[in-house]
Amino acid sequence: MGRTLLRDVTTAPRRHPELEDVRGRLLPQLVPDWLVPEELRCDRAPATVRHMGDVAVAFVIDGPGQPAYVDVGLLGHWGVAETELLAPALANLARTYRPFAHRGRGERLALVWDSHDGYDAARLLLTRRLCEAAAQVPGNPVIGVPHRDRLVIFGDRNPEFVAEMAELIDDEFRHHPYPVSAQLYTLCGGALRLYRPERKQGPMLN
């Protein structure tokens, strides 16, 4: 697919900010794991944490002006690992929670986050919120994050609807300038899992 450039968000400026100065502005952003190929990783490459399947988590310093990705060099300056940024970034994301929209009804109901703040897909990481929303859809929840500005939840009670939504998610992933993933997720025991329609998923919540 060849989309490896990060547009609209730069990497951190050469004058390194201190972690405590930006901790409250760190936010996670979901990106495809091929966004920064291993052979191109350097101090100026965005720092990422592998999440699940073909998705990784990058970290953005949000705020006025142009947001900046936390890069590998900045991590070295801070003396922390990528995983140490997850907790503060998720806490900040939880405070920016946006309501979802209802699309359709019955077995064709879909809950959609598309606020276009750059973090709709990243709300996949807020599993408690996902569980609360997923209780509204019929059957096991199926979740898609085709691009940066969309998260969708629907139920798998109607196989034809699942197939239609999977095709739509794949199409949006392939054609959006900020793709994330065409894979589908579900919730099992309150935890996020890859969706395998041929398998019984188990109870959604503990």
Side-chain angles (χ1 to χ4, degrees), residues 1-188:
M1 297 175 59
R3 285 170 288 175
T4 59
L5 297 179
L6 300 171
R7 297 184 297 274
D8 291 351
V9 183
T10 64
T11 52
R14 287 294 184 182
R15 184 177 178 181
H16 292 321
E18 297 303 323
L19 177 56
E20 290 309 312
D21 293 336
V22 300
R23 186 183 295 272
R25 295 192 284 125
L26 287 174
L27 287 168
Q29 193 170 85
L30 290 191
V31 296
D33 63 0
W34 44 257
L35 193 63
V36 183
E38 191 64 32
E39 63 270 18
L40 296 182
R41 288 185 66 84
C42 61
D43 280 358
R44 300 295 288 170
T48 59
V49 177
R50 288 294 300 272
H51 177 50
M52 187 180 300
D54 57 6
V55 169
V57 181
F59 301 94
V60 175
I61 302 172
D62 203 15
Q66 190 174 39
Y69 278 108
V70 174
D71 60 39
V72 174
L74 186 54
L75 278 184
H77 175 72
W78 289 343
V80 300
E82 293 94 330
T83 53
E84 295 178 67
L85 300 183
L86 280 171
L90 288 177
N92 294 336
L93 181 66
R95 288 194 288 272
T96 72
Y97 185 76
R98 302 288 190 271
F100 53 81
H102 290 75
R103 309 274 173 82
R105 63 179 62 185
E107 293 184 347
R108 302 181 71 84
L109 172 65
L111 311 178
V112 180
W113 285 259
D114 56 359
S115 68
H116 294 271
D117 63 355
Y119 307 102
D120 289 308
R123 294 182 173 97
L124 180 74
L125 305 172
L126 302 177
T127 51
R128 180 178 297 179
R129 291 287 196 173
L130 289 184
C131 288
E132 293 171 357
Q136 300 186 34
V137 300
N140 292 304
V142 185
I143 307 165
V145 283
H147 56 79
R148 185 180 70 180
D149 296 312
R150 177 153 304 164
L151 185 155
V152 58
I153 303 179
F154 52 96
D156 69 354
R157 186 169 295 169
N158 183 333
E160 291 184 0
F161 183 57
V162 174
E164 291 173 15
M165 291 299 293
E167 184 176 353
L168 176 63
I169 288 168
D170 183 74
D171 184 69
E172 290 188 355
F173 166 71
R174 292 178 180 277
H175 294 98
H176 197 274
Y178 307 102
V180 174
S181 177
Q183 68 191 10
L184 301 176
Y185 300 86
T186 190
L187 292 160
C188 185

